[in-house]
Amino acid sequence: MLRQYELVERVKEYDPDADEALLNRAYVYTVQKHGTQKRASGDPYFSHPVEVAGLMTDLKLDQETIITALLHDTVEDTLATIEDVEENFGKEVAQLVDGVTKLSKIEAMPEDERAAENLRKFLLAMSEDIRVLLVKLADRLHNMRTLHFIKSEDKRRRIARETMDIYAPLAERVGIYEYMREMQALAFEHLEPDAYATITGRLEQIRSTDGGQVDAIALAVKQSLAEAGLKVEVSGREKHPYSIWKKMAERHVSFEQITDIMAFRVITESEEDCYRALGVLHRTWQFIPGRFKDYISTPKNNGYRSLHTSLIYENSMRVEVQIRTREMHRTNEFGLAAHWAYKQGDRPDGQIAWLRDLIEIVDASHDAEELLEHTRLQVYQDRIFAFTPKGALFQLPKGSTPVDFAFAVHTDLGAQAVGAKINGRHMPLRTPLNNGDVVEIIKGKKAEPQLSWLSFVVTGKARAAIRRAVRLKERQEVTSIGRKLLDEIAARLPAKIGKKAIREGASRLHLEDEDDLYYAIGAHKLEDRDVMEALVPGSTADFPAAVEWAQQERAISIKGLTPGVGFLLGECCHPVPGDRIVGLRKPGEGVEVHAIDCLQLASGVDTDWLDLSWGKRSAGAIGRLRVTLYDRPGTLAEMAGIFAQNHANVINLKQAQQDHPFAHYEIDLDVKDLAHLTRIISALRASEAIAEAERV
């Protein structure tokens, strides 16, 4: 652990004007506040924030960031408050500490939700100040270094998975590759211990038997460049175990089939020397087509700049070579942090445009699982480069389509896309883009995102925006159904109701406004009786206990069952009174009742078949329909009107697909019997709003 004077000396080395007294006070403050707290390793707890602060000095960050690192756990784990921090160390430090501090313990949440909620808060906090991210990444890196001290294997795996899925990709996106590689290696060791042990064992074996081959290749590269008059530094290493394992998984090959496990780095004096060195290496050794990338002329989003190439060395050995200047190397290893040195006042906002996309995804994501999916999509994947017709450059994940491109340019452009030209030719919206494509998006005034786009878009931003738009449209459609159903409910009331009664009814049901009431009715979140009582209190006092026929008459009995034997209506065929039915009985289970033509009956060959029939008083069951509407205004309301006219209650409505000019729905209806369901299907088929209607 760093001693107090050692930490201060580190900061003073690169920032002679740093406030030594303030740094000392922060060190003492964290030691005092954490007191006798211990880590899982048995070390004093304050050793953790001190080590995190040390990592920040490696990045040569300003004194406010160093102090934040020292204090980042005090508010969460001690009696200290944000007000205390602000009083002692100023508003800026207090804001940074508040950004890094987890705002609440979320232990009751499921695993994915807990990770997603932390990520949500984290992204919102770091959008205010990127230094929050830098401290958090260092915090996670040090925690990963000591992860093996945690006794619970499940907890170790959970933290490792969160690191692999969230923090390592974030480190990559801000260009701190040193952190990314170490996080991946440590997480890999806990997530795939057998694979980690096998690969590290093989690397150790190669190291002991290759006779210093890495050093020999590095020397040969340096000599060939020196002979061409280039002054360079060359270093070589085996690739990291996780990198090798990932390549094995992607290519579906064994360790023996991986030929490029060695990587070399060439550091030159100038950008011009980078290209000269590349030419020398390509003349000296055969290069592998398709493996050359120029990130100097076209840097990555995180500012990474370098030339990448792969060569075939002696004995058909493949080696990767990265060529860069010393300044590029510093930026590449430490990314945004290299631009945030104490002496630079300008924030590198141009390099964190992707962060704004992440914040937009946070706002658009419906739940925790979606948020994790979208952010993983946003931070992972190799990149391609595509241009607008005016020459603006956009970086996208490999496999991106014109829809992804449109959303990358602007959310509104993506929402209005109806077609695309790629290099001047009209192409389908699902066409994968290639490096260098010029993409022109064709807009439509009344266009809107389509659910089918989710089958081919690859960016988190596009996926989140499409889902948000589809959910909004579905809500509008369900609200429209609810408005129609409310008219039918209101017709049963003893008095006419106006807008005031609807507003007051929504309030009694603890809903925000009339639209929420319509939506709740359309989505069948409310019983008709509850709505009637909310609209006109006391109106159902003299009603039968069940207002609707379904509640009055819903009582199903089955002939052919032994008295007391339970039964369940098949979810696959949704039999209703009037269908010819049979029962399947499995040992130790109840009886499943199926329609005689149910396709699932074929799976019941090893069970007892029972000849069943409906009881005399049976009425009320769930019938499932598949309905295809013409995708135009009013068709959904017309369908809802048909249900209302036929006294059929909508139990569930789901849009299965939207394929212009059609919209496909699956609908569960509460119906009396087969005759009732048949009348509804006939009425649907007679409507000009409906293309097809059939029973599922």
Side-chain angles (χ1 to χ4, degrees), residues 489-490 492-498 500-509 517 528-543:
I489 293 170
R492 303 182 219 160
L493 291 168
K496 287 188 176 181
I497 62 168
K500 182 180 178 183
I502 294 174
R503 284 196 301 270
E504 291 175 351
S507 178
R508 292 187 187 104
L509 291 167
L517 175 61
D528 290 7
R529 184 185 184 89
D530 296 331
V531 177
M532 294 169 73
E533 187 64 26
L535 293 172
V536 182
S539 61
T540 62
D542 298 327
F543 263 56

Side-chain angles (χ1 to χ4, degrees), residues 208-511:
S208 62
T209 59
D210 70 359
Q213 194 170 30
V214 171
D215 292 339
I217 296 173
L219 182 59
V221 169
K222 187 171 183 177
Q223 285 177 343
S224 66
L225 294 174
E227 289 170 3
L230 290 167
K231 185 179 178 182
V232 298
E233 295 175 13
V234 181
S235 59
R237 58 171 176 81
E238 297 97 355
K239 290 190 175 177
H240 292 278
Y242 174 70
S243 176
I244 294 173
W245 180 81
K246 188 177 176 185
K247 194 161 287 188
M248 289 166 60
E250 288 173 349
R251 298 180 186 174
H252 305 288
V253 296
S254 65
F255 183 92
E256 287 73 18
Q257 292 171 289
I258 298 289
T259 55
D260 50 348
I261 63 170
M262 293 185 185
F264 295 85
R265 185 169 294 142
V266 177
I267 306 294
T268 69
E269 296 288 316
S270 66
E271 186 175 308
E272 182 183 347
D273 285 350
C274 291
Y275 290 100
R276 288 180 59 202
L278 178 71
V280 171
L281 295 180
H282 282 188
R283 287 196 301 271
T284 307
W285 293 283
Q286 181 184 347
F287 98 100
I288 302 171
R291 300 298 299 275
F292 168 65
K293 293 177 182 176
D294 185 347
Y295 292 120
I296 293 180
S297 65
T298 312
K300 292 186 179 182
N301 276 351
N302 57 22
Y304 180 94
R305 301 178 74 214
S306 184
L307 298 177
H308 288 196
T309 189
S310 291
L311 308 173
I312 298 179
Y313 194 67
E314 298 170 3
N315 303 321
S316 299
M317 178 185 294
R318 297 184 177 198
V319 295
E320 288 189 5
V321 182
Q322 301 170 354
I323 309 169
R324 60 185 67 159
T325 66
R326 189 166 283 97
E327 182 58 34
M328 289 177 196
H329 179 59
R330 164 133 181 98
T331 300
N332 293 349
E333 290 303 289
F334 300 113
L336 285 177
H339 292 276
W340 201 289
Y342 68 96
K343 59 188 176 184
Q344 292 186 332
D346 296 330
R347 298 188 178 190
D349 292 330
Q351 291 192 344
I352 54 173
W354 62 273
L355 183 55
R356 287 188 286 274
D357 289 346
L358 285 180
I359 301 307
E360 190 173 329
I361 287 170
V362 168
D363 293 336
S365 295
H366 179 60
D367 54 31
E369 188 175 343
E370 255 188 37
L371 175 64
L372 280 176
E373 177 195 350
H374 297 156
T375 48
R376 283 172 188 155
L377 287 170
Q378 191 69 14
V379 297
Y380 271 129
Q381 306 176 4
D382 291 335
R383 318 300 284 177
I384 64 164
F385 305 94
F387 298 87
T388 67
K390 292 184 178 180
L393 173 67
F394 287 87
Q395 295 188 44
L396 296 163
K398 190 178 291 184
S400 290
T401 65
V403 175
D404 296 294
F405 181 86
F407 278 106
V409 174
H410 198 283
T411 303
D412 290 344
L413 181 62
Q416 296 173 351
V418 294
K421 288 183 179 179
I422 302 176
N423 302 324
R425 293 179 58 199
H426 283 280
M427 299 294 287
L429 286 174
R430 62 172 58 245
T431 306
L433 299 176
N434 294 313
N435 255 326
D437 280 348
V438 177
V439 184
E440 179 184 352
I441 301 300
I442 301 168
K443 298 191 298 183
K445 288 183 179 179
K446 296 184 179 180
E448 54 191 17
Q450 300 297 307
L451 185 66
S452 58
W453 289 357
L454 291 175
S455 66
F456 58 77
V457 297
V458 301
T459 58
K461 184 177 181 181
R463 193 170 289 271
I466 293 165
R467 282 180 169 159
R468 187 180 196 177
V470 169
R471 276 196 300 270
L472 180 61
K473 186 177 180 183
E474 284 179 355
R475 182 179 177 87
Q476 291 170 343
E477 291 172 341
V478 172
T479 299
S480 177
I481 289 177
R483 189 176 283 107
K484 194 83 175 177
L485 293 175
L486 179 66
D487 292 341
E488 192 268 334
I489 293 170
R492 303 182 219 160
L493 291 168
K496 287 188 176 181
I497 62 168
K499 287 190 174 182
K500 182 180 178 183
I502 294 174
R503 284 196 301 270
E504 291 175 351
S507 178
R508 292 187 187 104
L509 291 167
H510 307 292
L511 299 170

Side-chain angles (χ1 to χ4, degrees), residues 97 448 591 690:
V97 171
E448 54 191 17
V591 174
I690 293 159

Side-chain angles (χ1 to χ4, degrees), residues 167-196:
Y167 293 101
L170 282 172
E172 188 269 338
R173 286 310 301 272
V174 294
I176 310 181
Y177 285 90
E178 190 173 276
Y179 281 20
M180 178 202 74
R181 286 191 289 265
E182 188 174 352
M183 283 183 189
Q184 287 177 338
L186 293 167
F188 176 51
E189 184 177 359
H190 291 279
L191 293 171
E192 302 287 346
D194 293 340
Y196 178 85

